[in-house]
Amino acid sequence: MNELNNKQLLELIKTDVEGFNKYREEYPNQKIDFSGAYLYKANLEGANLEGSNLYRADLLWANLQGANLKGVDFYGAYLGRADLKGACIEGAYLKGADLEEAYLEGAYLKEADITGANLQDAYLGMANLQGSNLKGANLRDANLEGANLQGACIEGVKITLTKENIEAIKGAIL
């Protein structure tokens, strides 16, 4: 397969995630830039987007279950109601991202920068947020049941203090 540009790759991932992943295996060092991309309700389950640029992308209602999002730049991206169950989001940049009502059960967000992100009404049950920076994030009505926030910075976080959330933030840094 010949090397594709970002526009061609965007069309490929929208129609054939498996084909996109095979392409990534063939061209592992190519920088993927989907900044501002419209991926509303896209089925990206299992997609390998590691290290990609999704700056201000629209991923409302997108299915990103089990996706590899390690090191992805989601600055200002819209991930409202997105399904990120079991996704690897380690070291991702989610500063200012909107994840309102996102489903992040079992997501791996270790050392992610989630500064100022909106996680209102998000489900983070069993998510790993170890060492993440959540400074100033909105976690109102979010569910952190069983989440790991060991060493996470939660300075200035707006959070609903339920029994489960209090238990989850015990190991966090205030």
Side-chain angles (χ1 to χ4, degrees), residues 17-29:
V17 170
E18 193 176 310
F20 177 84
N21 288 345
K22 285 179 184 173
Y23 177 86
R24 290 295 312 260
E25 286 174 23
E26 198 171 328
Y27 296 96
N29 298 321

Side-chain angles (χ1 to χ4, degrees), residues 56-125:
R56 297 204 184 279
D58 183 348
L59 292 143
L60 177 67
W61 289 98
N63 177 4
L64 291 153
Q65 279 190 35
N68 179 359
L69 306 170
K70 187 175 182 178
V72 170
D73 181 353
F74 282 114
Y75 180 86
Y78 190 55
L79 292 143
R81 297 179 184 89
D83 187 347
L84 294 138
K85 181 179 180 178
C88 176
I89 316 169
E90 181 180 6
Y93 190 68
L94 291 145
K95 187 173 185 175
D98 189 342
L99 292 122
E100 187 169 351
E101 295 183 35
Y103 190 74
L104 293 135
E105 180 182 3
Y108 191 75
L109 292 136
K110 188 174 181 183
E111 297 176 5
D113 185 350
I114 311 168
T115 309
N118 179 18
L119 289 146
Q120 185 166 334
D121 292 307
Y123 183 76
L124 292 139

